[in-house]
Amino acid sequence: MRSEIIQLGYLISTALFIFALYWMNHPNTARKAVFAGIAAMAIAVLATMLGSGITNWHWIVGAVALGFIVGVPLSWIPLTAVPQRTALSHAFGGLAAGLVGTAKFYLWLSEGPENLTPFRMTAIIVEIILGFLTFTGSLMAAGKLQEIKWIPQRPVTYRFQNVSNIGLLAIALICGLLIVIKPVEMTYLFPVIIVLSLVFGVLLIIPIGGADMPTVISLLNSYAGLSAVAMGFVLDNKLLVTAGALDGSSGLILSIIMCRAMNRSFTNVLFGAFGQVQAKAQAALQKSVKTETPEGAAQVMENASLVVIVPGYGMAVAQAQHRVRELYDQLTKKGVDVRFAIHPVAGRMPGHMNVLLAEADIPYDKLVEMDDINPEMPQADVVLVIGANDVVNPAARHDKTSPIYGMPIIDADKAKTCFAIKRSMKPGFAGIENELYYSDHTYMLFGDAKAVVGELVKYFSGGAGGH
Ligand code: NAP
């Protein structure tokens, strides 16, 4: 009876994990998804505890308390720091998998070598390699995203880098193979594999530029998931196998979506040293830009029928979403049709703009995906670009030498008038000039996004000589 209850618990938990991922597909159901995930995890932990006949409860209670002590402050971080927070979670997941695999190996070894079957050994080796490389790789990724001083942001490359990295991984795999074949005689290789995996995690990340880290993090997510699958085989726990597989595949799918939206291949992200390409490609356009005042821009906007707002990373940095909501309210009150054009990789993490705009209670039906808004861009009287740069750069469509060539963009250049809010002429993520800013019908509104949108709102609410 007890075993049936446990299996039922695992089944419900698996179903809830699947629903959680499914509901994450839409902002309307995302909140439900979070609760489903929490419920699934709670049921999983309870069922596992019921099944394991634990007597030393103080260890479990201590671990849960420790989890709370670390986890609660982690949840207080600002939204712009979510990518590095996610990387830290993966680091913990990888470390946990690696440590469980290590503990199981030495435990089984002490209980008798007959426990170390080739199947179990293979699962343990996969678990520790993936677990420990995810640990150091994710720590490096978090460090790069947090811009920690002693971790270089730019890609660090050297001769024969890829060959030596792959060589290192190959040595770890060969050691793993030897220990699978002769676990007792080759025990001394176990710590060697751990060290090689830890080093490999660091070396895997250093050639990748800081800005590519979000994609790398979702790839590391899939490694953490796969190490959890291996852990499931080691511990003979079916739920870990399914949950790990869900984690692994969703991480992989997300990285594929991100690569597609940037028109980059996996190999280009992992081995392309993107930050270096940027430096070479930065041939400055020696043209001048036109500027406009917030009042001037507001006057054009209030006479428009359709205004499309393109938010980008700068809106997140400035935390301007609530001002943007006020602007939306004011324009809508004046009968202007306002829509938001959402690029899949605007910002620094998938769904970044959706989350910010949802936080400011912008109606979901006003958020239009890139493919749906682009055909309407020629009809837009005004496009207001708020801290977006690469995702509206027309060079992606025609300049074969551009590092973003082929990346789908929002056609802001096709609107009748374009106002672009940013603080300077500095480039965005890809490190290149944006020809949109130099176009005849583009006017720059220089300044911090929150301040400039605030000025626009002030005009509409009558504060700056406006109506
Ligand atoms: P972007 O190209 O990085 O440009 C952001 C712009 O915001 C900058 O030009 C910056 O100019 C401006 N800015 C920064 N702080 C600001 C502030 N406080 N007020 C006003 N403007 C500010 O951003 P994007 O157009 O959103 O494009 C995203 C890029 O990230 C793409 O290249 C994409 O491939 C990449 N990426 C995205 C993801 C993802 O999942 N979303 C993942 C990996 C990579 P100033 O400094 O002059 O103000």
Side-chain angles (χ1 to χ4, degrees), residues 30 82 84 172 218 315 380 392 414 446:
V82 164
Q84 46 269 52
S218 71
M315 185 186 80
V392 288
K414 294 191 178 160
F446 284 119

Side-chain angles (χ1 to χ4, degrees), residues 164-237:
S164 60
N165 283 0
I166 289 168
L168 196 78
L169 183 64
I171 297 172
L173 289 173
I174 292 167
C175 292
L177 192 66
L178 292 174
I179 206 167
V180 168
I181 299 168
K182 288 184 183 291
V184 180
E185 293 84 338
M186 298 288 174
T187 306
Y188 66 92
L189 285 180
F190 201 84
V192 176
I193 300 173
I194 294 178
V195 172
L196 288 176
S197 310
L198 290 170
V199 175
F200 181 75
V202 175
L203 297 181
L204 184 73
I205 301 304
I206 58 169
I208 306 172
D212 264 340
M213 283 306 125
T215 320
V216 171
I217 285 170
S218 71
L219 200 61
L220 287 167
N221 179 19
S222 69
Y223 293 167
L226 291 179
S227 70
V229 171
M231 181 156 73
F233 284 117
V234 172
L235 299 176
D236 194 17
N237 183 315

Side-chain angles (χ1 to χ4, degrees), residues 31-347:
R31 219 174 272 270
K32 197 160 62 170
V34 174
F35 289 120
I38 295 171
M41 201 63 213
I43 295 172
V45 171
L46 288 176
T48 307
M49 280 160 120
L50 194 69
S52 54
I54 294 164
T55 45
N56 291 327
W57 283 93
H58 56 281
W59 285 108
I60 304 287
V61 175
V64 171
L66 208 65
F68 268 92
I69 292 169
V70 177
V72 172
L74 268 183
S75 70
W76 297 335
I77 54 109
L79 201 63
T80 39
V82 164
Q84 46 269 52
R85 194 210 60 80
T86 313
L88 277 182
S89 313
H90 295 161
F92 295 144
L95 180 64
L99 290 178
V100 168
T102 308
K104 267 293 182 191
F105 173 72
Y106 286 107
L107 199 72
W108 274 329
L109 190 68
S110 67
E111 284 171 357
E114 67 282 359
N115 287 307
L116 300 172
T117 59
F119 177 76
R120 281 179 170 177
M121 280 312 298
T122 308
I124 287 181
I125 296 301
V126 172
E127 181 184 349
I128 62 159
I129 291 181
L130 285 172
F132 284 117
L133 81 82
T134 304
F135 172 54
T136 47
S138 302
L139 283 184
M140 286 292 293
K144 281 201 177 204
L145 283 165
Q146 190 59 33
E147 299 185 5
I148 290 177
K149 270 200 194 107
W150 49 270
I151 300 178
Q153 296 301 297
R154 66 188 161 77
V156 176
T157 50
Y158 45 86
R159 276 186 87 193
F160 306 119
Q161 187 170 33
N162 293 341
V163 176
S164 60
N165 283 0
I166 289 168
L168 196 78
L169 183 64
I171 297 172
L173 289 173
I174 292 167
C175 292
L177 192 66
L178 292 174
I179 206 167
V180 168
I181 299 168
K182 288 184 183 291
V184 180
E185 293 84 338
M186 298 288 174
T187 306
Y188 66 92
L189 285 180
F190 201 84
V192 176
I193 300 173
I194 294 178
V195 172
L196 288 176
S197 310
L198 290 170
V199 175
F200 181 75
V202 175
L203 297 181
L204 184 73
I205 301 304
I206 58 169
I208 306 172
D212 264 340
M213 283 306 125
T215 320
V216 171
I217 285 170
S218 71
L219 200 61
L220 287 167
N221 179 19
S222 69
Y223 293 167
L226 291 179
S227 70
V229 171
M231 181 156 73
F233 284 117
V234 172
L235 299 176
D236 194 17
N237 183 315
K238 292 185 193 72
L239 181 64
L240 257 179
V241 175
T242 46
L246 288 172
D247 191 16
S249 49
S250 56
L252 188 69
I253 292 169
L254 187 58
S255 348
I256 292 172
I257 292 174
M258 286 161 89
C259 283
R260 271 207 199 135
M262 295 189 286
N263 194 36
R264 313 253 313 275
S265 66
F266 256 156
T267 38
N268 181 269
V269 169
L270 292 179
F271 310 114
F274 196 60
Q276 292 197 331
V277 181
Q278 300 160 22
K280 268 185 265 158
Q282 201 174 341
L285 293 171
Q286 295 300 330
K287 288 202 276 172
S288 60
V289 293
K290 294 187 286 302
T291 57
E292 183 52 279
T293 58
E295 293 75 39
Q299 280 164 10
V300 179
M301 273 190 245
E302 72 176 344
N303 291 311
S305 312
L306 173 61
V307 170
V308 175
I309 297 180
V310 187
Y313 179 61
M315 185 186 80
V317 175
Q319 286 292 293
Q321 63 274 23
H322 295 286
R323 292 279 154 78
V324 172
R325 163 77 213 221
E326 289 171 40
L327 179 66
Y328 164 81
D329 286 342
Q330 299 280 3
L331 284 169
T332 312
K333 235 192 273 169
K334 290 195 175 293
V336 181
D337 182 7
V338 183
R339 282 180 238 166
F340 293 83
I342 307 297
H343 191 283
V345 290

Side-chain angles (χ1 to χ4, degrees), residues 451-462:
V452 176
V453 178
E455 289 294 313
L456 292 172
V457 172
K458 211 154 96 193
Y459 173 88
F460 289 117
S461 51

